[in-house]
Amino acid sequence: MTSATPQAAPVNRSLGALLKGRRQELKLAVQDIASQMRLDPRIIEALESECYDGLPAPLYVRGYIRGYAKILKLNANALVELYDSDAPSEPPEIIPEVKHPSQTSSSDKPVKVFTYLVTFTLVILLIAWWQSSFVVKTVTPRTESAEPPLNNVTGAARQPTEPQYTVAPAQDPQGGAYTAPAEEPPGENEASAALQLEAAVGAAAGSIVGAVPGPDRIVFRLNADSWVEVFDARGERLFMSLARAGEVLSLSGTAPFSVLLGYAQGVAVEFNGRPFDPAPYSRSGIARFTLSN
Amino acid sequence: MFSRLRGFFSSDLSIDLGTANTLIYVRGKGIVLNEPSVVAISKQGDTINSKSIRAVGAEAKRMLGRTPGHISAIRPLKDGVIADFVITEKMLQYFIHKAHGRTLFQPSPRVLVCVPCGSTQVERRAIKESAEGAGARVVHLMEEPMAAAIGAGMPVSEARGSMVLDIGGGTTEVAVISLNGIVYSDSVRIGGDRFDEAIVNYVRRNYGTLIGEATAERIKFEIGCAYPGNEVREMEVRGRNLAEGIPRSFTLNSNEILEALQEPLTGIVDAVKNALEKTPPELGSDVAEHGMVLTGGSALLRDIDRLLMEETGLPVIIAEDPLTCVARGGGRYLEMIDEYGTDILTVE
């Protein structure tokens, strides 16, 4: 690569001056050098005048300098070093040909922030829900049981379509105790009886009264705790709760009633004054049946 | 499962898996390994395990042609592609370990391997699997001329034709590159090995003497040339005389070697002319204006640039440090993968 008889390049002279001086010393024209190197004479001139702007990448320029040095029998390495110190250059950048739109990824800042926000909101909501459900749990039984029975009767009278329940003290656990809505037909004997019964305070066991206007009446006498669900002909809920042992549940509405008893053995059912046996409908204690006239 | 964790402790490698030499460029460190692609194995049964490998690299190369019966020194790559899959894998494993140095974890690096542009899908897959088998976490493949052009510092991203000629040990790759892509590429299976073979054949034919490949390579380095020069260099060589059966010494000169190398050199010149013929005219004029760049170990053959200059009439430039261009180019590409992704260049 380097010529056989390299001549040490004096360091005090510039690269262009060195090349030009040596070429003139050897009595060579720019054209001769260019034809030997198969290059455009302009490139040789640019090298001698050190105008590197119009020349290709540094790799090529170094190659030209080596070739030129070989012809002039100069030390190629020294000249290339001179060039590198004159025009220090980085290798050309590799620029991606097409800029691909960057795909949004989970590591992007907006996505991260959004994720944290959503997570934070969810956590807040979760805490709020947990708190509220705890409050409801503790409050519900109190509101159900603490209301005075008479208030409830009036409430039921004001809103006849809404079923109202209350635990009313009854003198006789076996006797049916119930409320009767104000609009109830006056011919109903049981209604007045219930009102009378309700007035009596200080019973041992409670009775629950369903106050929905209707001609039919259903009475549950509970010997054991049981879940009771009753819906009337319109699908309206008359009762749905856990009834305690000893309670008497008297509900009125329009037959047919669809009934669910959680513990059928512990409940005696009476429909329009006739006893009804839920045993045939009972499957592993749970009875589901419809009562109609 | 742990490859990602181990990858955290591993550096990215760019490997020039050449027929003659394997070079490894480690990201941030530069070229850390440059060893011949030779493995010496001892034959114990049919299976090859890590115990049967006696030596790899420079040590194994010294054994080439000098082994006793139970050891054989093998070059697992031929013509730029894998000839012996298992041994290549073992060799790569050894080189990757060596390039990495001692670490607590077994290295699991991201690896870029350069493949000849003329290699088939099967050959590429073999190289990829071999690197994976050697412990690489991810393997990228890149075509050698592109890596060579980047390593040499050619402006591959510009809308300008750049011609690169990479003369390696097994193959010669010629390519015209513009806008990060290869416009034309060709690979001929002529390289340093063919030069050695040609020298062995020449000596046997003209001197009736047999010399080994290692000797032929030494002759090529010392007095080999591609174009007649003013000075004639001589060298004394020893080989086994075929007629007498006794080692004899004789003197070879550079003109004889030039004559010996005519056939493979003509093959390379033809490939270049063919490439120039098939290059689109605009790119061809760019090449004619600035010249073509030579890379690869065989670019160090004396006056090969002169030969190509005379034959094609174009300026020819030898890249700085042509032997390591491919590995360095691969390394630069590897450094850019993180920034731009794998689709910056047309690879694989």
Side-chain angles (χ1 to χ4, degrees), chain B residues 282-316:
Chain B
E282 281 299 331
L283 300 176
S285 79
D286 291 339
V287 173
E289 192 183 339
H290 300 134
M292 71 179 91
V293 176
L294 292 189
T295 66
S298 299
L300 295 170
L301 184 70
R302 192 180 293 269
D303 283 337
I304 194 161
D305 52 338
R306 186 84 195 280
L307 169 79
L308 288 162
M309 215 187 275
E310 295 297 331
E311 290 285 342
T312 59
L314 302 179
V316 178

Side-chain angles (χ1 to χ4, degrees), chain B residues 20 168-169 191-197 199 213-225 233 235 252 257 261 297-298 300-302:
Chain B
D193 288 351
R194 285 287 297 275
F195 294 163
D196 298 345
E197 251 174 63
I199 293 171
E213 275 183 25
T215 310
E217 198 178 357
R218 204 156 46 84
I219 296 168
K220 180 180 73 181
F221 284 144
E222 289 193 16
I223 58 168
C225 65
R233 279 157 303 122
M235 182 186 173
L252 280 172
I257 301 305
L261 295 179
S298 299
L300 295 170
L301 184 70
R302 192 180 293 269

Side-chain angles (χ1 to χ4, degrees), chain A residues 192-203:
Chain A
S192 55
L195 282 167
Q196 285 161 10
L197 278 169
E198 239 176 84
V201 184

Side-chain angles (χ1 to χ4, degrees), chain A residues 26 55-56 58 61 82 98 108 114 127 190 227 260-261 270 290:
Chain A
L26 292 172
L55 293 178
V61 179
L82 215 57
V98 186
D108 286 355
F114 184 73
I127 291 168
E190 291 90 341
W227 179 265
L260 185 137
L261 299 174
E270 210 173 90
T290 311

Side-chain angles (χ1 to χ4, degrees), chain A residues 3 56-57 108 115 184 201 209 213 215 273 293:
Chain A
S3 66
D108 286 355
T115 313
E184 216 172 296
V201 184
V209 180
N293 285 317

Side-chain angles (χ1 to χ4, degrees), chain B residues 5 25 75 83 129 132 165 217 250 285 329 335:
Chain B
L5 181 71
Y25 175 98
R75 298 179 64 175
E129 282 181 7
E132 279 166 358
L165 180 67
E217 198 178 357
F250 54 97
S285 79
E335 279 164 18

Side-chain angles (χ1 to χ4, degrees), chain B residues 16-33:
Chain B
D16 174 13
L17 189 62
T19 315
N21 290 293
T22 296
L23 285 93
I24 298 186
Y25 175 98
V26 177
R27 191 172 166 178
K29 288 188 197 165
I31 303 277
V32 294
L33 184 133

